[in-house]
Each structure stands twice: as C-alpha cells, then as structure tokens.
Amino acid sequence: MKVVIPAAGLGTRFLPATKSMPKEMLPVLNRPVIQYVVEEAIAGGADDITIVTGRGKRAVEDHFDHNPDLGGSGTRASLRELEEVMGKAAFHFVRQRTPRGLADAIACAEHHVGNEPFGVLLGDSIHVSETPLLTQLRTTFERMGGKASVVALERVPRDKLSSYGVAGGTPVDLQVIRVERLVEKPKPADAPGDTALTGAYYLTPAIFGAIRATPPDRKGEVQLTDALARLVATEGVYGLIFEGRRYDTGTPLLWLEANVRFALRDPAYRDRVIEIFRESTRAESATRPSEAPAP
Ligand code: G1P
C-alpha cells in the first residue's frame, strides 16, 4: 500500500522549539514522532512511503537514511529498530515549495501515488491501536463497497471541536458513519457533529481532482477537509470511529502528555517516572500552607 505522510507544516504551535527543527522530529521518549508514524504505516501494510517535506525539514530525510559517522548499518543496537523499519518500505521525499495547506501538501505526492487508493497519516500524530489504524481504515473501505474514502474519527468534547476538522452524518453501524457534512475548525455552534478527524485517512485518487477544485481558505491554505467535503457529494465519504488512542504532539502540553503516557507504558521508564511524580507531589504538599482549620 502507498502511504503519504505530510510533514511540511511550520509547527507554529510549538515555537520557539520548532523554529529550526521540524516538529515531526520532536522526541517521544527516544524516538522522533515521525518514526512512530512510519512504524504505524508499515504495521498497517505500507510498502511505499512518500513523506512530503518543505523548507527546514532536511532532518526528516536524514533520519531515514544511513549516517556513516555512526558506523555502518547493523553496528549499533540502538539503531537496529530504525534500520529494520527503513528496510521494510521504499521511501520517497517530495517538497512542498510553499506552505499552502494540508491538501496542497498531499497534492505534491499525486504523481507518485497514481491512480489507486492510498493511506495518509499526519506526521505529528501518533495513533496507538491493537489493529493497525490503516488496516482498520482499509477494511472499512472494502466493507463499505470499495469506492468511497474513509476518515478516522474520534469523539471530542464540544468545546474542543474548533481545533479539528469535524464530521457529521448518519450512522451505518456502531463504528461507521456515512459522512454528510465536513467542516474544518468550526465555531462550536457550526459543528456538524461531535466527531473530529484525527489525521488518518484512506483516500481514493478522486481526492486529487477535489483538491484542485478547492479554493484556499482565508489564510491561503487549501484544507483537506474542504476537498473531502466535495467528495461527500460525489463518491461519498465514510467515517470510522477507530479502535485505539491518538496522541497529538503539536503543542508543548500535548507533547508532554504523549511522553508521560508512553513512559508509563514502558518498563524502561515507568517506575522512575512514577517515583518522580510521587516525589514532586510530596514536595509540593510539604511547601503548601496547612489547610487544616484553625483550632
Ligand atoms: C489538521 C486537519 C484537521 C484535523 C487535524 C488532526 O489540522 O486540517 O482537519 O482534525 O489535523 O490533527 P492541524 O492540526 O494541522 O491544524
């Protein structure tokens, strides 16, 4: 399966850390976010990965290449996992010349993708699930007749919906909805439902025509959500409330949360992290003025 990973965004929600470093290279424990995304793609059947980069993103390309200064391949145990990942798919890199939005970034891969359905995983979001997310999306695509794109959804509290693309529609079953409306970052009153796009998609090649037909928004960006909204009226679009959990790493707090949660699941970090929390809570309550009522 071909998979496109857009990694061209500017990371403005994480400045100054992302001024000269790609947000996709921020580490969660010892691996950059994009490595998790690539691993997730491969687990879901990707054998051909196109990463869309842009200005200042060379570190992303270098990460999936050999570094002779660190010795030949296979010489360092700490690089073995990454080298295995690199051997499991063909990697391609294309550059988006100007940051004109997510849909425009995906269109940069059109020539490579050709005329077949393909997966898209955003380079700054990690999905963790028992069945790989792309497998879940592709299975749903086939179950729904193999003609309409499928987007991954999760339910989000109403006051958070304005940070996402939001889908509304009619339930097909407990997990799948037939999408009727899609709105990118709606005001709470305009949200068409309570399910948000999490940044994983299984798209038909018709998306490329839809992207060309989609005008840029007020910020000059062509939104994938707007292009998908065009497909709703033609081929149709399905939404899958996926099994699993998603970690956005695009802001300092969300990135920190991802690190804490991954550390708590990993025996190499878990005990020490819990100890640090205990120590800090004890130190904090010791310095807090007594809350006991005066006698
Ligand atoms: C992008 C998409 C949005 C989606 C979100 C998921 O927004 O445009 O529809 O809900 O990713 O993370 P961004 O976070 O890049 O602003």
Side-chain angles (χ1 to χ4, degrees):
M1 185 203 305
K2 286 184 179 166
V3 171
V4 177
I5 302 180
L10 296 176
T12 48
R13 293 182 298 159
F14 215 132
L15 285 169
T18 48
K19 187 176 174 214
S20 65
M21 183 178 78
K23 61 175 171 168
E24 295 79 9
M25 291 302 293
L26 287 163
V28 170
L29 306 184
N30 64 341
R31 284 182 273 178
V33 176
I34 192 140
Q35 186 177 330
Y36 290 90
V37 179
V38 163
E39 286 169 5
E40 187 188 317
I42 289 171
D47 55 6
D48 182 303
I49 295 176
T50 302
I51 302 183
V52 185
T53 66
R55 241 178 79 80
K57 300 276 185 171
R58 194 161 298 159
V60 173
E61 276 182 57
D62 287 343
H63 188 70
F64 296 100
D65 194 3
H66 292 292
N67 180 347
D69 294 342
L70 293 173
S73 71
T75 48
R76 273 175 204 261
S78 50
L79 286 179
R80 206 157 293 147
E81 258 180 28
L82 172 59
E83 283 166 355
E84 260 175 47
V85 165
M86 284 158 54
K88 284 187 181 153
F91 285 81
H92 309 270
F93 296 89
V94 293
R95 264 171 90 107
Q96 184 188 31
R97 291 191 193 140
T98 34
R100 274 199 304 237
L102 179 56
D104 181 77
I106 290 167
C108 295
E110 176 175 5
H111 182 70
H112 186 75
V113 167
N115 198 29
E116 56 186 282
F118 63 105
V120 172
L121 295 176
L122 301 193
D124 63 357
S125 287
I126 306 172
H127 292 84
V128 177
S129 51
E130 208 135 286
T131 306
L133 179 54
L134 281 178
T135 309
Q136 294 184 45
L137 292 173
R138 187 157 64 168
T139 309
T140 307
F141 171 79
E142 277 151 18
R143 200 157 65 80
M144 295 298 127
K147 290 196 173 65
S149 298
V150 184
V151 300
L153 298 176
E154 71 180 350
R155 289 194 205 285
V156 162
R158 284 229 154 238
D159 61 325
K160 301 260 164 25
L161 285 171
S162 57
S163 306
Y164 299 98
V166 178
T170 319
V172 174
D173 56 33
L174 282 178
Q175 275 84 41
V176 179
I177 65 166
R178 176 177 253 288
V179 175
E180 279 151 15
R181 284 190 64 212
L182 278 165
V183 184
E184 178 69 6
K185 309 213 168 83
K187 295 197 188 94
D190 300 336
D194 64 351
T195 46
L197 277 70
T198 67
Y201 313 80
Y202 193 70
L203 302 175
T204 67
I207 194 68
F208 295 118
I211 292 173
R212 274 191 291 279
T214 304
D217 65 7
R218 271 179 294 141
K219 286 194 287 176
E221 295 184 354
V222 183
Q223 297 300 340
L224 182 60
T225 308
D226 295 341
L228 278 163
R230 287 177 176 266
L231 292 187
V232 168
T234 53
E235 290 181 345
V237 173
Y238 289 98
L240 171 71
I241 301 176
F242 75 101
E243 166 277 307
R245 207 183 157 135
R246 165 197 190 244
Y247 300 91
D248 184 347
T249 57
T251 71
L253 201 55
L254 289 168
W255 168 83
L256 193 60
E257 179 181 338
N259 270 282
V260 171
R261 291 197 187 272
F262 273 70
L264 290 175
R265 287 188 345 193
D266 187 329
Y269 297 84
R270 188 188 147 81
D271 291 351
R272 178 62 190 133
V273 170
I274 293 177
E275 217 174 86
I276 294 169
F277 279 127
R278 290 219 177 102
E279 284 166 16
S280 335
T281 331
R282 268 200 301 271
E284 210 181 284
S285 46
T287 51
R288 211 182 285 153
S290 166
E291 278 158 21

